[in-house]
Each structure stands twice: as structure tokens, then as C-alpha cells.
Amino acid sequence: MRKLKIYLLLFIIFIQILPERASAQDKAQEPKARYVFYFIGDGMGLAQINAAQAYKAALQGKIGIEALNMDKLNALGLVSTYAQNRYITCSAAAGTALATGQKTSINTIGMNADRTAPLNSIAWMAKKHGMKVGIITTVSLNHATPAAFYAHRPDRNDYYEIALQLTESNFDLFGLGGLKDAKGKKGDQPDAYDIARQKGYQIVKGREEFMKINKLDKKIIAINANIDPENAEVPVALDRGPEDMSLAEFVSKSIALLDNPNGFFMMVEGGQIDWACHNNDIATTIGEVLDFDQAIGHALDFAQKHPKETLIIVTADHETGGLTIGNALKHYDSDFGWIRHQKASQPALAKMFKEYKNRFCPANCSFDGIWPIIQEKTGLGKDIPLNEFDRTQLQMSFRASMLGQMPFPSEEANYLLFGGNDPLALMVTRIIAQKAGFGWTTWSHTGIPVPVRAQGPGQKSFEGFIDNKDIPHLILKAMGLPQNLN
Ligand SMILES: [Zn+2]
């Protein structure tokens, strides 16, 4: 009788243990993310994504949404973006949260909020565990978002020091933009590219050289043929020439180079979505979102080959510009397709207008003189009908740009109207936004949450309302790596 009781007890214990053991077994077999793509659209809020979707539909004569590649990622969440000491964040603080899993203060790169201790990133952890690491961006490689993955500096403007830390990172691949202030702010420091070479990096410039590389047997910094002499970014999609690599092209080649049995971690930033939004330039914004989205397409193709081991994350550091769909002057209407008539970005337009000014102003310049350039590059007054108010605004901005006659005595009023931009280039792109039915509220960032999309191991954990600092921890968990980065 006593024996029977003991057997019964053992049986009950066994039954209770059984499900636990089974779930532990399941856990051990749960696929881990061996290939990780971390796409960060700088300034890419919901409105920027929706503008691109609606624009694509409009091009086909449809009202509605044409799906993007990022829409194929099934898991969707919302991300709060505030910094430790300011609700409306910046790319340094937000990039640090997205890279290290800790909130920090404004302008701080990869350090704690009081700037006393460095914070390690998930890229560092991936490298430590034998994975290959790639850091890719359309702005400079030592700009805030990419820097948060390898650097530790109290100020995001320490570009030279950040560049030196890049050379110490030992990460396998950096590209598409170059190094800003490679010789320091005054140009009197040892060249950071030379230092990178000394640390074992091969520097390749342009498509031809980059495409020739078949194996990643040496660490690489690969730079587009054309980069801005001051800020080291690549041309935006709208201004790209035949020599320029697209982000998608660069990502596709990078996947081939980084692919190896130990896996890889790749951070891809669409860095100039943010810049276009700071300019309130809707055509360039949409162009950059679509360009960024094409790069995501290559990650999706790769994921089809390794569906159980590929994690793709698409998110943003913050929204920029306070973009929305709808404009007071347009009431309930929209003509998103008109965006296609803008053939140059606002900075490229500003450059053309400056050339005109240098040649003709003040003696021989007139609105009629510059009008053919505006028509050709933007479609205004040709493909996009203008009214009296539009013409008045253009002429007022012409006088501000060409003759320095600002419309208001108050600096604040002029700032509200033009920001710090070239008045005429700004007005041209603003009228395009108004006519198409888009609205902007600020020249800066906003504090509204941004979407996160995920596909792959652990994708469900990205759903719901999460915080930016949660994302790196969720990625590490999906990778089966320790979540403690320090
Ligand atoms: Zn910004």
C-alpha cells in the first residue's frame, strides 16, 4: 500500500515535470537569428511611410496604398523615442538607445546620460560572438546613427574622434558614405583614412572597385564615387548620377560579402530621409523612403533562403518635420502624383539658384529670368497649375533669395516661413507639398512614436507599444546572445 502511494506520488511529480521539460526542449530548438538586418530610416515616421505608399498608388491612378517591401514584414509595433533629458530626441540619443538598449542624453554617442561611461552596442556583441558586422549609411560613416554602433563620445559633433574610433571597431564592412572631417575640423590632423589603412582596412572608392571584391578577407571601407566635400554624404536618389551606387545596390553586394556560416549583423541607415524632412522637401523625402525600401527588398530575398535564421527589423530613430497627409489649402483633396515633377532635391535647387544669383544679381536678375529653371526642375506653372497666391509667394521668396529682401522685419517670422533654408528653393518645394496635399509643422524632429516592423525569429516580441531602448534587447534575445552589454 505504502509502495503504491510512493509510485503514485512519483507519477504525479513526473506528470508535473513533463510539460516543463517539453517546453525547455522546445526552447532549445527555437531557431535563433543568425543573420540580422537592422534598418533605421532616420526621420521615417508613419507619415513618411504612408506618403510613399500613397504616392506609389497615385502614380498608377489609384486612391489608396501601394504596398512597400517593408509592408511584407508581418509584425508591427509602435516605438516611443524620447531621450533621457528631452522628450523630442535627436539622432545621437535615439541612435544610442537603438544600438545599446539604454536611454541617454541629447547629442551623446554610445555613452550613459551623464557621459561618464561608454555603452556597448549590439553590433559589438555580434562581433564578439564571431559574426561579421556591416555598418551602412547614406550619410557620413561617423554621423550620429552609425556612430552609436561603434563609438563612445560625449558630443556627436566630435566627428574626427568618432572617425578614429571607427578604425578601432574592427567591424568588417563600412560604407556608402565617407568620413566627415577626416583630417579634423581644421584639417590639421592625421588623415583618418590613412589611420584606417594602418589598422587593416582597405579603402575602396566607387562602384567598380567595390564590385570587384569577391571575398571579405580584409576589413573594408567602401565609399561612393561622389560624396559631399563637407558632410561626406552620398547624393540623394533624386540627384543621383550614373556613377552613384544606390543604397539597394550597396546592400545587395554587402550581403554577398558578409554572408558566412557564423552569421552577420548589418545596420542599414536611410540617413537622408531626415535631412529631406528638415527641409520640408516632400519629393526628396518620398524618394529616399522608396530608395531605403528597395534595400529592404534585398534583405527579404536573402530571408527567403534562410527563413528560420534571418531577422529583419525596420524602424526609425524619430519622426522629422511633423509631416502629415492633408494640407489646409487643399481641403480634403490630394494630388500626390504631382510630386513626380520635381526633378532635383531642395539643396540641388538652392545650388542652381545660387549660381543664377552669382551670375545675374543684383544688376540683371529678374523673376522671369529664373522662371524657366523652376518650371523645368519642378513642373510648377507647367505640369502643376499655379494661382495668384502661389505666384506672390514665389516672387516674395525670389526677392529674399536674390536680393536679400526678407518679407518680415521679425527674424522669428522669417524663420517660421523659410527655416534656415534658401527662401526660393524652400518655397518651390513647399508649394509642391501644398499642391499635392502634404503638410509640415516644424524644421526639427517631433516626439511622436514611430513604427517598427519585424520578420524572423522573435518577431512577435516587437508587437505592441514598446520603447526604443527595448529593441536591442529583443534583437539580442532573438539572436540567443547575452542581453547584458556592459
Ligand atoms: Zn534630424
Side-chain angles (χ1 to χ4, degrees):
M1 195 58 198
R2 211 183 134 151
K3 252 189 177 171
L4 190 70
K5 264 188 187 167
I6 288 171
Y7 280 134
L8 199 67
L9 198 68
L10 281 174
F11 181 72
I12 288 167
I13 289 169
F14 180 71
I15 290 285
Q16 278 178 341
I17 288 172
L18 202 60
E20 240 171 65
R21 283 189 50 169
S23 92
Q25 251 172 17
D26 279 355
K27 250 190 181 155
Q29 284 163 2
E30 216 172 78
K32 297 283 176 237
R34 187 144 54 123
Y35 308 104
V36 179
F37 294 89
Y38 198 179
F39 286 95
I40 302 176
D42 201 313
M44 190 183 72
L46 186 57
Q48 282 77 0
I49 296 168
N50 189 226
Q53 294 164 330
Y55 171 70
K56 271 185 84 179
L59 286 185
Q60 298 177 27
K62 288 191 273 189
I63 290 175
I65 277 174
E66 193 64 24
L68 306 179
N69 285 320
M70 65 180 90
D71 295 321
K72 294 175 189 155
L73 278 66
N74 281 328
L76 170 65
L78 282 177
V79 185
S80 49
T81 67
Y82 59 91
Q84 179 264 349
N85 59 347
R86 201 174 75 189
Y87 191 82
I88 298 176
T89 194
C90 73
S91 292
T96 298
L98 291 173
T100 72
Q102 287 196 50
K103 294 257 190 215
T104 192
S105 46
I106 292 301
N107 290 343
T108 306
I109 301 279
M111 296 186 83
N112 61 353
D114 55 14
R115 300 162 171 173
T116 51
L119 302 172
N120 290 317
S121 79
I122 51 174
W124 169 85
M125 181 63 92
K127 184 72 198 164
K128 201 174 143 189
H129 281 80
M131 298 169 83
K132 294 231 183 271
V133 172
I135 302 288
I136 297 166
T137 180
T138 55
V139 294
S140 70
L141 296 170
N142 46 349
H143 208 263
T145 308
F149 286 84
Y150 61 81
H152 316 282
R153 287 299 300 180
D155 187 345
R156 62 180 291 176
N157 296 304
D158 296 344
Y159 287 105
Y160 184 68
E161 292 77 7
I162 293 170
L164 295 188
Q165 292 187 355
L166 180 153
T167 70
E168 301 279 347
S169 70
N170 208 26
F171 291 174
D172 302 272
L173 172 69
F174 286 95
L176 183 60
L179 293 172
K180 177 177 162 66
D181 294 347
K183 291 182 180 171
K185 274 193 184 31
K186 294 182 204 142
D188 57 356
Q189 298 294 316
D191 191 335
Y193 289 111
D194 288 340
I195 294 170
R197 281 191 196 95
Q198 286 158 21
K199 306 265 175 190
Y201 279 95
Q202 184 185 355
I203 318 276
V204 296
K205 195 142 195 220
R207 175 188 286 123
E208 210 182 316
E209 264 191 65
F210 184 46
M211 293 302 161
K212 253 194 253 164
I213 294 167
N214 289 321
K215 255 176 85 187
L216 204 62
D217 39 22
K218 216 172 167 193
K219 297 174 287 182
I220 289 177
I221 299 176
I223 299 166
N224 189 51
N226 302 305
I227 55 166
D228 183 81
E230 196 194 329
N231 290 313
E233 83 275 17
V234 303
V236 291
L238 212 55
D239 300 332
R240 206 181 277 149
E243 277 196 302
D244 299 314
M245 286 184 272
S246 70
L247 185 62
E249 189 181 2
F250 195 90
V251 165
S252 169
K253 177 69 183 177
S254 300
I255 293 171
L257 289 174
L258 291 169
D259 192 5
N260 79 98
N262 291 332
F264 61 75
F265 173 91
M266 194 187 291
M267 192 290 292
V268 182
E269 186 201 18
Q272 292 188 66
I273 299 167
D274 174 69
W275 295 10
C277 292
H278 278 288
N279 292 336
N280 292 6
D281 176 353
I282 186 64
T284 306
T285 299
I286 290 176
E288 290 305 281
V289 171
L290 292 175
D291 201 55
F292 182 62
D293 190 62
Q294 281 197 349
I296 296 168
H298 288 292
L300 284 163
D301 290 344
F302 180 87
Q304 277 195 336
K305 285 180 246 159
H306 308 274
K308 289 200 172 117
E309 297 173 303
T310 306
L311 176 64
I312 308 174
I313 304 293
V314 180
T315 191
D317 50 355
H318 51 74
E319 196 274 346
T320 305
L323 176 64
T324 196
I325 316 288
N327 185 293
L329 287 173
K330 199 78 181 173
H331 305 273
Y332 292 95
D333 275 342
S334 57
D335 282 292
F336 303 136
W338 280 352
I339 297 297
R340 73 182 183 281
H341 299 299
Q342 188 181 323
K343 305 288 186 211
S345 70
Q346 189 191 105
L349 290 168
K351 210 174 144 201
M352 286 174 221
F353 297 163
K354 201 172 171 194
E355 278 161 18
Y356 175 87
K357 180 183 172 182
N358 290 343
R359 273 186 74 185
F360 300 108
C361 295
N364 296 310
C365 71
S366 68
F367 185 74
D368 288 346
I370 208 163
W371 183 231
I373 305 175
I374 297 178
Q375 278 192 314
E376 192 208 318
K377 294 293 174 190
T378 67
L380 288 180
K382 200 172 76 180
D383 309 292
I384 306 171
L386 296 181
N387 58 34
E388 208 40 52
F389 176 54
D390 302 325
R391 283 191 205 95
T392 308
Q393 288 192 95
L394 284 170
Q395 278 162 5
M396 172 186 73
S397 312
F398 171 83
R399 287 191 296 274
S401 278
M402 301 295 157
L403 306 166
Q405 298 171 6
M406 296 308 268
F408 300 107
S410 144
E411 223 171 86
E412 206 169 24
N414 291 321
Y415 177 76
L416 194 61
L417 192 60
F418 301 130
N421 306 45
D422 173 74
L424 185 57
L426 183 277
M427 188 54 73
V428 162
T429 49
R430 163 172 299 160
I431 290 176
I432 290 171
Q434 279 171 356
K435 297 281 159 187
F438 294 102
W440 298 96
T441 66
T442 176
W443 311 111
S444 306
H445 302 162
T446 69
I448 198 160
V450 294
V452 57
R453 323 281 188 109
Q455 175 188 300
Q459 66 174 50
K460 274 227 155 292
S461 60
F462 294 87
E463 290 178 352
F465 203 149
I466 61 175
D467 188 57
N468 57 5
K469 70 177 182 324
D470 301 335
I471 294 179
H473 297 291
L474 297 173
I475 293 175
L476 287 173
K477 201 173 165 202
M479 293 166 85
L481 295 182
Q483 286 177 59
N484 187 357
L485 284 162
N486 287 290

